[in-house]
Amino acid sequence: MSLRPERQTQQVNIDYPCPWTQERGGVLTWTQASGINFVEYAFDPSGVHFAGLQLNDIENVNMTRQPFQQYLRTIDIPFARVGVATQGDFTTDWIYPVGTIHQGDLAYVGPSGMITNSAALGGEVIGKFLSPLTVKPHFVTLRGMGFSRQYIDTTLPSKPLVWENNPTDAIRLATPGFIKVRVDMGASLR
């Protein structure tokens, strides 16, 4: 439960895909590889440009054994266009606090798609915190959500066993709890 339902979404961008499986609620940044523009959670916040907050989980879906889940739950699949909130108020748990977070503190792009209150990490301003931290320690998933599959790659002479989206390779991050943050692309902060 990364992005709680109590939110006011004022502006959404659905122009860019995201290639990774990950939980909603983190800070997405723009990236380019091989001429393709996409959004992802940046591991290092310095020098990246803020795209918005991820609105839906991105999961691999087994389409041979179940109907497409997008219409049953709010999920997206990798390499599909994803909902990115560029303005609004959200309660999220993708928090990387440095010291104590106070109501009204500026929020910055933090490491691994998290939101931080420290400008020392080099991230852009994304908005401000609207509430104090609600302490409830748990983990959020940065990579490795949804259906995984194994198959033998017969195109190679060695015929290796390939495991896509292996659950043991998932990247999970510790978070101290939930906080309400106002996200704005910078118009109201100048």
Side-chain angles (χ1 to χ4, degrees):
M1 188 62 156
S2 290
L3 193 61
R4 290 201 167 166
E6 59 268 11
R7 57 186 168 201
Q8 276 188 306
T9 308
Q10 296 166 344
Q11 196 81 357
V12 176
N13 182 348
I14 55 168
D15 292 336
Y16 297 99
C18 182
W20 314 112
T21 59
Q22 56 203 19
E23 229 174 308
R24 66 185 178 266
V27 176
L28 292 168
T29 56
W30 282 297
T31 308
Q32 184 178 26
S34 300
I36 300 171
N37 293 321
F38 58 92
V39 291
E40 70 175 357
Y41 290 155
F43 288 100
D44 182 10
S46 61
V48 297
H49 296 290
F50 170 64
L53 230 62
Q54 181 175 315
L55 290 177
N56 297 334
D57 288 337
I58 301 173
E59 296 182 16
N60 284 319
V61 178
N62 181 358
M63 298 208 197
T64 61
R65 304 223 182 260
Q66 64 192 14
F68 185 42
Q69 295 287 311
Q70 185 179 28
Y71 305 112
L72 303 175
R73 299 185 297 136
T74 52
I75 67 165
D76 293 318
I77 57 174
F79 290 101
R81 291 182 179 192
V82 296
V84 179
T86 57
Q87 192 173 15
D89 299 343
F90 304 92
T91 302
T92 184
D93 60 354
W94 283 76
I95 306 298
Y96 186 86
V98 177
T100 306
I101 298 176
H102 300 285
Q103 184 175 355
D105 284 353
L106 290 179
Y108 299 89
V109 175
S112 302
M114 296 196 142
I115 301 169
T116 186
N117 59 333
S118 174
L121 296 172
E124 287 184 340
V125 174
I126 64 165
K128 63 182 176 182
F129 293 104
L130 297 179
S131 72
L133 181 68
T134 303
V135 178
K136 185 180 177 187
H138 60 282
F139 291 94
V140 292
T141 304
L142 175 65
R143 297 276 189 274
M145 288 187 68
F147 172 71
S148 62
R149 71 179 184 137
Q150 287 180 315
Y151 65 92
I152 296 173
D153 189 354
T154 58
T155 62
L156 299 173
S158 61
K159 296 187 178 33
L161 180 66
V162 179
W163 194 334
E164 289 182 348
N165 202 31
N166 188 341
T168 60
D169 295 335
I171 301 172
R172 298 176 57 77
L173 306 171
T175 180
F178 291 89
I179 198 164
K180 189 166 191 171
V181 64
R182 172 164 294 148
V183 173
D184 196 335
M185 290 296 288
S188 66
L189 298 173
R190 294 186 185 153

